[in-house]
Amino acid sequence: MSIVAYLRDESEGLPESLFHGRDIRVMVGSSTCSLAKAAAEVMRCVEEALLGFQPNALLVGVGCNGMCYAEVLVEIARKGGPYILYANVNPTNAPLVIDHFTTYVKDPIGASNKFFGKVELKKLSEEPFYSLQERRVLRYVGRIDPYSIDEYIAVGGYKGLKNALEMSPSQVIEEVSKSGLRGRGGAGFPTGRKWKFVRDSQGDQKYVICNADEGDPGAFMNRLAVEGNPFMIIEGMTIAAYAVGANMGYVFVRAEKPLMAERLGWAIRNARERGYLGENILDKGFSFDIEVTLSAGAFVCGEETAMLRAIEGGRAMPRHRPPFPSTEGLWGKPTLVNNVETFAHVPLILANGSQWYSTLGSGMSKGTKVFCLAGSVMKTGAVEVSLGTPIKRLVYDIGGGAPYGTRIKAIQVGGPSGGCIPAKYFDYGLDYESLTSLGMIMGSGGIVCLSDSDCMVDIAQYFLTFTTAESCGACVPCRVGLIHILNTLTDILNGKGNLKDIETIIDISNVIAKTSLCGLGKTAPNPILTAINYFREEFLEHILENKCRAKMYKTHGFNLNAIRRGKARLAFRIPRKR
Amino acid sequence: MLLSFCGDAYEERFATMISFRGTSHPKGLRNLLQFDRLRMSLDERISKVLSKIEPKPHMLISALQSLQDSIGYLPEQAIKAAAERVGVPVSKAYGVATFYHQFSLKPIGKYLVEICFGTACHVMGAPDVYREFEKVLGLEEGEDTTSNLKFTLRKVRCMGCCSLAPVVRIHRDIYGKVKLLQVKDIVAKYE
């Protein structure tokens, strides 16, 4: 793939202090997804090339800005412009990038002639993947150094905390309530109200916990936000602690994402050294500190009461609520638990006001949300759009639709607690209410696009395998019920099912959803119920004809050579690209 | 120097970054670690690791994590020692060690090959990749560690690189968009 150079608008410039006295600033993506595509080598090659072309340049490792399909991303900025984002860079063509920028600065037209066929120049504002987004949380992710607090302050960081410390705690809660922010972890509980509960609880010691145990398969927005800008989360937690009256915080990080923990730990140390954490923050007499706790890997830790047990050093088994953590949480003390993304929105609300915040979004769902696109879609990555954005806009306009020769038949939203939405409902908006009306919850917001070659029975079985393995075993409906569904589904997949099975699955699912102890069990039947609801014909085909249309599509639909030789028949018409 | 504005901070983090990809762990360093492992007995290593752990019950998981990092798995005596150090019953420590996926009570290979089984990876063919790894490493059905204790194959939940599905991680190096034909080459790097 050739390099694409995206020219940024003047309005997206970087403040002068980010150049640290140099002329050129080179930013190389270095989050987990970039590193999987040899970003470390790209960085070395860029460094070597810089010595030749721009000896006075500054090289910075930054997070990924969400365009994961075009990794590795290298952005080069000159003081006062131009700002060019290069996509599809690899160690071999990295020197070309520097060469192109040097030539472009001197002579834009000459550059396009010289690099014809090698570097394609476009405007970033004309790239729908970027221009259709509303970037608030991700605004500076991928442009600032996640290890430097100075850069975060230079782009407006810690303004929110300063404003908050000028106000009284109840005013801060009032502001957050007015903004309409709701928990971004899945259930969508109003954040302001939760803070008020913790504030009103009696207790000498209170805790603030950031849930960074991003376990939903298909979701990586928390990793992206933390790896690109960890200070945002720390600032959000500090504001929350001030509002609810806590002086100790924990970030619970998933073990599978070690870079996230490392960058958070670094940022906490950095903030402590600069007086944004620790004793007497900003000389306002308020003290707060944060510790990073590494999870040992259990999906159920995403459930708040289970997470509290894990932090206390035990088996992560949820307990009955109430009492909610806001009254009896960590070590029996009032505890505020919020998701990474929720905390990331807080500094923005305090810095710009609740009025500004609630301009985006729809109805009861205010603000923006980061969704992750993966699976059978052209442009995979993370996008931030306002809540209520129609699904088709996200999948087709931003994501670019399915790869050639396939068609998106459904999307899977929210991992094992979400469900499948068939293509006919793609007019629905992505917000808490619409998704509830379709029989699922938003979850963390991971969207996996499923094409015709994905069997819905297989997908349902996959999620059941997942939740069965991850069920902690505390309550019977979840522990026993899920295994029964899984066995029945496996029978259906192997062609041993009968028509009664579908009703049995629905029955057991309803019992599990009503009687389970925690969120894992309550939402575990969602994938299978939505699959049966919207794709019943696929289940019937498996049961009655022992036939899988996805498998047929997979073996015949793509094997054009076999079709040409008359050895296979096209199972379905290859749909035209939308 | 070109990259000097962060001072020593930079050296440290650049080192971490590099260690995430192929060139990581230069042979010398690896040998040194091996040497270290051979020189110290298991008990010495356990007590050395545990001496850095704060003796409080909530440190149990951290203690077990550090022990697993150092030894590679959790032998019985490590669990007992950890329980004693943080002051919880051995039964509780054993319960914790068996509850979480991260902990292994059996010796694992030198290189942990983790195949991501997240939704996106599942859709993009992770089960095929897993079977291919099984074939290349010569593992029988139900086995997960090669007989020479070099590789351990494991299914993991989402690693958060869904946009590069299917994803494989070997000893901190991450490989995205793995194709079946690449598997042999990837394994050869660690032979």
Side-chain angles (χ1 to χ4, degrees), chain A residues 43-260:
Chain A
M43 193 141 180
R44 252 197 314 275
C45 295
V46 165
E47 189 187 353
E48 262 168 42
L50 278 178
L51 286 172
F53 287 100
Q54 303 277 358
N56 197 24
L58 179 73
L59 182 61
V60 191
V62 295
C64 168
N65 73 358
M67 297 165 86
C68 300
Y69 64 97
E71 295 281 10
V72 174
L73 298 159
V74 177
E75 184 173 350
I76 309 182
R78 198 176 70 129
K79 217 183 266 180
Y83 309 95
I84 304 184
L85 178 70
Y86 293 91
N88 302 325
V89 183
N90 57 37
T92 340
N93 63 20
L96 205 71
V97 168
I98 311 295
D99 195 4
H100 178 264
F101 188 82
T102 319
T103 324
Y104 182 84
V105 170
K106 285 184 201 137
D107 173 17
I109 298 162
S112 57
N113 290 337
K114 187 178 165 191
F115 292 93
F116 181 77
K118 289 180 197 153
V119 179
E120 192 188 342
L121 191 72
K122 279 183 188 170
K123 276 199 167 146
L124 192 58
S125 53
E126 285 162 11
E127 166 63 46
F129 187 86
Y130 198 86
S131 60
L132 291 178
Q133 294 187 45
E134 298 281 353
R135 292 172 76 91
R136 284 182 171 180
V137 168
L138 296 185
R139 178 142 186 231
Y140 287 106
V141 168
R143 301 195 79 190
I144 62 166
D145 185 352
Y147 291 92
S148 160
I149 195 167
D150 290 316
E151 300 208 345
Y152 178 58
I153 295 169
V155 297
Y158 282 108
K159 221 170 99 190
L161 180 65
K162 278 176 194 151
N163 288 352
L165 292 179
E166 297 294 325
M167 299 191 239
S168 75
S170 47
Q171 278 173 320
V172 174
I173 294 178
E174 182 65 15
E175 194 71 15
V176 173
S177 301
K178 266 198 292 185
S179 73
L181 176 65
R182 291 170 69 178
R184 294 289 191 257
F189 192 80
T191 308
R193 216 190 306 165
K194 200 186 236 180
W195 288 21
K196 201 163 180 326
F197 287 151
V198 183
R199 171 101 207 144
D200 294 343
S201 301
Q202 297 299 318
D204 48 339
Q205 170 82 52
K206 289 176 189 174
Y207 295 103
V208 171
I209 293 178
C210 175
N211 185 351
D213 188 69
E214 188 180 44
D216 274 12
F220 51 93
M221 62 287 285
N222 293 357
R223 172 183 71 72
L224 206 84
V226 172
E227 284 179 357
N229 192 355
F231 296 100
M232 202 162 51
I233 286 88
I234 294 171
E235 187 186 352
M237 283 179 78
T238 317
I239 295 171
Y242 175 69
V244 303
N247 53 23
M248 187 64 212
Y250 292 92
V251 190
F252 192 74
V253 184
R254 197 155 173 255
E256 270 90 348
K257 299 176 179 172
L259 197 60
M260 196 164 146

Side-chain angles (χ1 to χ4, degrees), chain A residues 157-380:
Chain A
Y158 282 108
K159 221 170 99 190
L161 180 65
K162 278 176 194 151
N163 288 352
L165 292 179
E166 297 294 325
M167 299 191 239
S168 75
S170 47
Q171 278 173 320
V172 174
I173 294 178
E174 182 65 15
E175 194 71 15
V176 173
S177 301
K178 266 198 292 185
S179 73
L181 176 65
R182 291 170 69 178
R184 294 289 191 257
F189 192 80
T191 308
R193 216 190 306 165
K194 200 186 236 180
W195 288 21
K196 201 163 180 326
F197 287 151
V198 183
R199 171 101 207 144
D200 294 343
S201 301
Q202 297 299 318
D204 48 339
Q205 170 82 52
K206 289 176 189 174
Y207 295 103
V208 171
I209 293 178
C210 175
N211 185 351
D213 188 69
E214 188 180 44
D216 274 12
F220 51 93
M221 62 287 285
N222 293 357
R223 172 183 71 72
L224 206 84
V226 172
E227 284 179 357
N229 192 355
F231 296 100
M232 202 162 51
I233 286 88
I234 294 171
E235 187 186 352
M237 283 179 78
T238 317
I239 295 171
Y242 175 69
V244 303
N247 53 23
M248 187 64 212
Y250 292 92
V251 190
F252 192 74
V253 184
R254 197 155 173 255
E256 270 90 348
K257 299 176 179 172
L259 197 60
M260 196 164 146
E262 186 216 304
R263 291 197 176 162
L264 260 176
W266 189 277
I268 289 169
R269 213 168 80 192
N270 219 328
R272 212 179 278 145
E273 279 164 13
R274 301 292 294 274
Y276 289 100
L277 267 184
E279 297 288 317
N280 195 9
I281 294 172
L282 297 175
D283 294 326
K284 291 280 193 283
F286 162 65
S287 302
F288 177 65
D289 210 345
I290 303 178
E291 226 175 75
V292 176
T293 313
L294 263 185
S295 153
F299 176 66
V300 73
C301 288
E303 210 280 336
E304 52 183 11
T305 54
M307 189 174 60
L308 298 178
R309 290 251 173 107
I311 296 175
E312 288 167 8
R315 287 161 73 99
M317 288 166 123
R319 62 162 170 78
H320 191 264
R321 296 183 303 178
F324 285 93
S326 50
T327 48
E328 249 179 67
L330 197 64
W331 291 300
K333 309 281 188 214
T335 305
L336 173 74
V337 184
N338 270 147
N339 180 265
V340 166
E341 224 190 312
T342 319
F343 280 126
H345 282 279
V346 171
L348 300 172
I349 295 171
L350 269 299
N352 302 304
S354 52
Q355 198 84 43
W356 168 84
Y357 187 80
S358 53
T359 49
L360 288 182
S362 70
M364 295 293 289
S365 310
K366 294 286 180 216
T368 58
K369 167 96 187 79
V370 185
F371 291 98
C372 293
L373 281 172
S376 302
V377 64
M378 289 292 276
K379 296 170 184 170
T380 52

Side-chain angles (χ1 to χ4, degrees), chain B residues 82-138:
Chain B
E84 200 178 313
R85 172 78 187 171
V86 299
V88 297
V90 179
S91 59
K92 193 184 169 193
Y94 183 74
V96 169
T98 47
F99 185 85
Y100 294 101
H101 302 302
Q102 198 188 355
F103 301 127
S104 166
L105 302 188
K106 285 187 303 197
I108 55 168
K110 187 170 163 195
Y111 297 110
L112 190 58
V113 182
E114 292 166 302
I115 320 275
C116 178
F117 266 67
T119 322
C121 292
H122 179 84
V123 169
M124 305 302 272
D128 298 334
V129 175
Y130 185 83
R131 276 193 289 274
E132 186 69 18
F133 265 98
E134 261 186 343
K135 215 165 76 187
V136 170
L137 296 177

Side-chain angles (χ1 to χ4, degrees), chain B residues 41-81:
Chain B
S41 75
L42 191 60
D43 286 327
E44 276 174 350
R45 208 155 352 121
I46 291 173
S47 54
K48 190 181 163 199
V49 170
L50 288 180
S51 64
K52 290 177 195 148
I53 301 287
E54 214 183 324
K56 283 186 182 157
H58 74 271
M59 296 303 284
L60 177 62
I61 292 177
S62 324
L64 293 176
Q65 280 171 334
S66 323
L67 282 170
Q68 168 140 326
D69 264 1
S70 161
I71 306 168
Y73 73 109
L74 290 177
E76 199 183 314
Q77 62 206 94
I79 298 177
K80 280 182 182 159

